[in-house]
C-alpha cells in the first residue's frame, strides 16, 4: 500500500475542518513509523511539535452531534470547530488553603464551589460584551457559548497542604477540587439556562448521550434534561502562564513549581523587555513563618524532581473531570533516554489524554524562565 501511494493520484478524504469529503492529490507516501519517529525526534531535540489526539477530541466533544473539532486554541486546552472561540478563567487555589504548613491544613472546597457561579456568569457575559472580527465567529461562538473554568496554583496549594505533587494523596485532593469545580460549573450553567435560555445548539437527548455527560452526577443530568444548559463546555485547565503572575507568581495551571527562585524574562510592548527575579509564593510563605534557615519539607518538589510518569498521572487523573482539555507540559531531565521519552506519548494515549507536550531541559533556546535555585 505504501508503494501504491508513491504515484500521483487523487483520493477522496474527509479532513478536520473540511466540512465533508474532498478530493485530495497524493504526492508522496511515507511510512507512519518513520513519520512518528521524526515527530518524536523533533520533540526531544527542540520541544516541538506537541501531539493532539484529534479523533479522541472529536469523539468526546460535548457537541459532537453539531460540530467538528478541527483545531485548538494556541495552548491546546480548548478543542474548537472552525471559527470557534475560547473564554477562560481560573481560580487561584492557594487562596482556599486554610492553616498552611500545619497538621490541620486543608483546602476549602465549599468556598471553591461558592465562587464558581459568579465566575461562570462572568465568562458567559463575555459573549455579549465581545466584539468579533467576523460575523461567522460571532455566530459560532454564541451558538455554543463554551467557557473554561480552571485553576492555577495547584502545586503551591499541595505544598501548603504538605503533599508531594507526585503522590496519590495529592492526586486525590486535586481530583476533589476539579470534581467540585465541574459540578458547581454545570449547576451554575443550568441556573443560567433557566434565567436566559440554553445555548443555541443544545439538544438534551444528544448532549446527555455524550461520554463526558455520562459521568455527571444523576441530579445534574436530571437538571440538564429539565432546564437545559447555558454553555456547551464548562471546564478547561489552561497554562495560566501570564495570569498566574498577576496572582502573585503562583504555580501555573496544574504544573509543578519550576524552581523556588527563578528569573523571568518579560516582553513589554513599548519598552522591549526586562528580567525580574521571582520567589515561589509557597516557599516565601514557609520562610516567612519558619525562618530562612529552616529546611524545606518533603512536599517541596520542583518540576525536574518529579518523575515524568507522575506528571502524566496527574494530567490523566484530572482529564476525567474536564470537558474541554488540559494544557500540561511533561518536564523531563536533559539526559532522559530517547526511547523512554518516546514512550511517554504512547502512555499518554493509553491513559486517555487528548494531547501531550513535553519539555526536555535544555532543548529550547530563549526560555522565558531561568532557574536560580
Amino acid at each position: 500500500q505504501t508503494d501504491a501511494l508513491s504515484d500521483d493520484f487523487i483520493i477522496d478524504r474527509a479532513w478536520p475542518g473540511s466540512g465533508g469529503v474532498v478530493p485530495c492529490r497524493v504526492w508522496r507516501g511515507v511510512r507512519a513509523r518513520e513519520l512518528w519517529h521524526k515527530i518524536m525526534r523533533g520533540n526531544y531535540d527542540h520541544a516541538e511539535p506537541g501531539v493532539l489526539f484529534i479523533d479522541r477530541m472529536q469523539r468526546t466533544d460535548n457537541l459532537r452531534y453539531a460540530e467538528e473539532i478541527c483545531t485548538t486554541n494556541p495552548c491546546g486546552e480548548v478543542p474548537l470547530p472552525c471559527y470557534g472561540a475560547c473564554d477562560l478563567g481560573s481560580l487561584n487555589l492557594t487562596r482556599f488553603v486554610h492553616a498552611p504548613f500545619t497538621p490541620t491544613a486543608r483546602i476549602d472546597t465549599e468556598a471553591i464551589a461558592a465562587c464558581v457561579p459568579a465566575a461562570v456568569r462572568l465568562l458567559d457575559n463575555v459573549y455579549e460584551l465581545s466584539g468579533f472580527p467576523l460575523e461567522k465567529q460571532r455566530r459560532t461562538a454564541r451558538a455554543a457559548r463554551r467557557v473554561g473554568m480552571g485553576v492555577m496554583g495547584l502545586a503551591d496549594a499541595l505544598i501548603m497542604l504538605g503533599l508531594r505533587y507526585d503522590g496519590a494523596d495529592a492526586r486525590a485532593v486535586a481530583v476533589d477540587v476539579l470534581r467540585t469545580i465541574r459540578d458547581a460549573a454545570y449547576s451554575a450553567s443550568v441556573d443560567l439556562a433557566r434565567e436566559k435560555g440554553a445555548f443555541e445548539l443544545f439538544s438534551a437527548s444528544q448532549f446527555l448521550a455524550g461520554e463526558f455527560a455520562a459521568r455527571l452526577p444523576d441530579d445534574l443530568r436530571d437538571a440538564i434534561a429539565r432546564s437545559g444548559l447555558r454553555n456547551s463546555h464548562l471546564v478547561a485547565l489552561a497554562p495560566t502562564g501570564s495570569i498566574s503572575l498577576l496572582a502573585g507568581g503562583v504555580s501555573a495551571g496544574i504544573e509543578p513549581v519550576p524552581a523556588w527562585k527563578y528569573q523571568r524574562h518579560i516582553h513589554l510592548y513599548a519598552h522591549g523587555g526586562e528580567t525580574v527575579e521571582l520567589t515561589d509564593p509557597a516557599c516565601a510563605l514557609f520562610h516567612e513563618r519558619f525562618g530562612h534557615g529552616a529546611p524545606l519539607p518533603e512536599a517541596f518538589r520542583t518540576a525536574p524532581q518529579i518523575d515524568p510518569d507522575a506528571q502524566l498521572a496527574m494530567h490523566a487523573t484530572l482529564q476525567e473531570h474536564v470537558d474541554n482539555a488540559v494544557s500540561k507540559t511533561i518536564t523531563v531531565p536533559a539526559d532522559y533516554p530517547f526511547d523512554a521519552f518516546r514512550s511517554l506519548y504512547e502512555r499518554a494515549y493509553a491513559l486517555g489524554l487528548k494531547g501531550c507536550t513535553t519539555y526536555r531541559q535544555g532543548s529550547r533556546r530563549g526560555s522565558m524562565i531561568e532557574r536560580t535555585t
Side-chain angles (χ1 to χ4, degrees), residues 238-280:
T240 74
S242 297
I243 63 173
S244 60
L245 292 177
L246 301 177
V250 298
S251 54
I254 65 165
E255 300 288 355
V257 176
W260 307 128
K261 288 187 177 181
Y262 57 93
Q263 292 182 331
R264 186 177 182 96
H265 307 297
I266 300 176
H267 298 290
L268 303 174
Y269 178 74
H271 307 289
E274 64 179 72
T275 299
V276 297
E277 184 163 283
L278 300 173
T279 299
D280 175 73

Side-chain angles (χ1 to χ4, degrees), residues 1-7 29-31:
Q1 186 175 6
T2 302
D3 293 339
L5 288 176
S6 62
D7 297 328
V30 296
R31 294 184 180 278

Side-chain angles (χ1 to χ4, degrees), residues 80-128:
L80 291 167
C82 290
Y83 299 97
C86 69
D87 180 5
L88 308 175
S90 298
L91 297 179
N92 176 5
L93 295 183
T94 66
R95 301 297 296 271
F96 298 93
V97 176
H98 294 289
F101 308 118
T102 72
T104 59
R106 67 180 182 88
I107 192 161
D108 191 344
T109 52
E110 291 183 1
I112 290 173
C115 284
V116 171
V120 170
R121 180 179 290 271
L122 183 153
L123 292 174
D124 183 68
N125 285 342
V126 168
Y127 282 106
E128 307 309 318

